[in-house]
Amino acid sequence: MNLESKMRGLTLGAQVLPLEKVSASDLGALAPLVGTWKNVDVPATAISAGWNTISVPGQDKGFVFEVIPYTETLTFNPVVVQAGNRGPVVNGQQVEQMIFGLLYEQQIISACDSSFCNERGFPAGSTIHVETGLFLNLGQPNGGYTIARMSTIPHGNSLLALGSSVEVGNPGTDFFSPASSIPTLLNGDRITQLGYSDQIIGNPQFAPFNQVNPNAFLESTLEALVGTGGVSNMTVIQMSTDTPDANGGILNIPFIQTNVNATKMDATFWIEDIVDSAGNPSQVLQYSQTINLVFPATGSAQPVNWPHVTVNSMVKVPETMQLQQKFQSLDVMEGLDVTQGLTES
């Protein structure tokens, strides 16, 4: 039996489609993401639109709290991935799921030139995070999930997050829920040990940035961008690895599992159509992501859940805006043969 026959027996096949072979409707809420995004310009006092807060093991009270301003390049590749899945036959009809998705690549560079950042090993210009994966628009969704994100990180993590999207008209600028950098016990309770979070709450490392609630910086950035204008329309994509009714989750290599275990990720992407004070329209991508990191028990200390929060506000690189406009104007065209590229075995 050749590989083509084997593949047909298991799935509907998978293929990579050039842009002209799909339409915006195939990607649903993901369609506006096509292109390359970079940080918005912010006032010089704010250093950067992108911010990372993370606690890592250390001597002082068991942790060191790091705040790192960063720049980012986030590319959603215009090469679209299509895949199909077969389910059972119900009432004489084969249940099928057709998935369209975008390959993405994320690179984050430190914009921090403080002595603390230099001493900690992430001086300005150094790469502090890379990530690749897929954002998927799920046809025939199960459990209400219409969006999936599959990510790989070279620290030794891979994840599957599931979620959905919603359209919101005229949302204002105050729709951001808080994102906390404060540690908790594993059950979510506050840590009552005196002084445990002092370096987070009482020691701001960068004056313009609210390190206790990083999402506050997203709101102030959006307010500065729109001025007396506003947000006319917004697509909100929410996703989480914490899906008890599904199989979302994070997998870690043994070293991470033992020492600083990544247990959960929650992320929200806001794709905003804005008009500034001068009446100029544009589109902004903002996101907030929290990954729960668990330090193991040491001595009499209990395991602690440490939020690793990243936020950024981004605009699309101009040449890729033209690509998106071309993409959205295309009609649906017949896809390539699902067996293209398969060889006999």
Side-chain angles (χ1 to χ4, degrees):
M1 180 182 293
N2 63 29
L3 182 57
E4 174 185 337
S5 299
K6 294 177 183 178
M7 289 291 291
R8 286 187 178 277
L10 294 173
T11 71
L12 297 176
Q15 58 183 315
V16 175
L17 301 178
L19 193 58
E20 63 269 14
K21 294 292 184 180
V22 296
S23 74
S25 60
D26 292 325
L27 288 171
L30 303 181
L33 294 176
V34 172
T36 297
W37 301 80
K38 295 195 173 185
N39 289 35
V40 301
D41 292 328
V42 294
T45 55
I47 304 177
S48 179
W51 292 86
N52 175 98
T53 68
I54 184 172
S55 297
V56 297
Q59 296 294 324
D60 184 20
K61 299 187 185 299
F63 74 100
V64 176
F65 183 63
E66 299 175 347
V67 178
I68 312 171
Y70 65 79
T71 61
E72 177 179 357
T73 301
L74 178 60
T75 299
F76 291 91
N77 198 309
V79 175
V80 178
V81 175
Q82 177 189 359
N85 296 323
R86 281 197 176 100
V89 176
V90 179
N91 296 326
Q93 295 292 319
Q94 181 88 54
V95 177
E96 296 179 350
Q97 180 184 52
M98 189 60 67
I99 296 172
F100 289 88
L102 295 172
L103 296 163
Y104 80 92
E105 181 177 355
Q106 180 184 43
Q107 184 177 29
I108 292 179
I109 307 294
S110 171
C112 184
D113 60 1
S114 70
S115 58
F116 175 79
C117 288
N118 292 334
E119 292 168 2
R120 296 295 299 170
F122 39 84
S126 60
T127 299
I128 57 176
H129 182 78
V130 292
E131 182 177 321
T132 59
L134 290 160
F135 273 42
L136 304 177
N137 182 41
L138 305 178
Q140 193 75 5
N142 296 112
Y145 299 114
T146 58
I147 302 292
R149 174 181 170 188
M150 302 164 61
S151 305
T152 56
I153 300 96
H155 289 289
N157 322 86
S158 62
L159 66 85
L160 171 63
L162 299 171
S164 59
S165 65
V166 64
E167 295 284 329
V168 182
N170 300 311
T173 58
D174 59 351
F175 47 80
F176 300 98
S177 300
S180 176
S181 297
I182 305 299
T184 65
L185 299 178
L186 295 189
N187 63 4
D189 290 348
R190 294 184 61 183
I191 300 173
T192 57
Q193 182 179 342
L194 184 64
Y196 205 77
S197 299
D198 281 358
Q199 62 175 290
I200 301 175
I201 297 173
N203 183 29
Q205 296 182 30
F206 296 92
F209 178 67
N210 185 336
Q211 64 190 33
V212 177
N213 172 23
N215 279 7
F217 193 76
L218 291 176
E219 183 172 339
S220 62
T221 300
L222 181 58
E223 289 172 346
L225 289 172
V226 301
T228 58
V231 181
S232 59
N233 189 68
M234 178 172 67
T235 299
V236 184
I237 300 173
Q238 292 182 301
M239 62 192 75
S240 176
T241 60
D242 185 18
T243 52
D245 56 341
N247 290 320
I250 301 177
L251 296 175
N252 305 293
I253 61 174
F255 185 91
I256 292 176
Q257 187 83 18
T258 302
N259 294 286
V260 187
N261 193 22
T263 61
K264 174 187 174 185
M265 184 208 74
D266 296 299
T268 303
F269 287 72
W270 297 271
I271 309 168
E272 303 149 356
D273 298 320
I274 73 168
V275 177
D276 64 18
S277 300
N280 300 314
S282 62
Q283 195 170 63
V284 177
L285 171 63
Q286 296 187 288
Y287 70 78
S288 175
Q289 177 174 287
T290 300
I291 297 177
N292 290 345
L293 303 176
V294 176
F295 295 2
T298 56
S300 61
Q302 300 180 57
V304 175
N305 182 63
W306 297 90
H308 172 202
V309 185
T310 52
V311 299
N312 204 357
S313 302
M314 313 179 78
V315 290
K316 195 169 291 186
V317 175
E319 52 265 31
T320 64
M321 290 178 63
Q322 299 175 4
L323 179 63
Q324 180 192 1
Q325 292 168 358
K326 175 184 177 183
F327 170 62
Q328 292 178 325
S329 68
L330 293 172
D331 294 326
V332 179
M333 297 177 66
E334 184 178 356
L336 301 178
D337 186 339
V338 298
T339 63
Q340 181 175 348
L342 298 178
T343 58
E344 294 188 358
S345 63

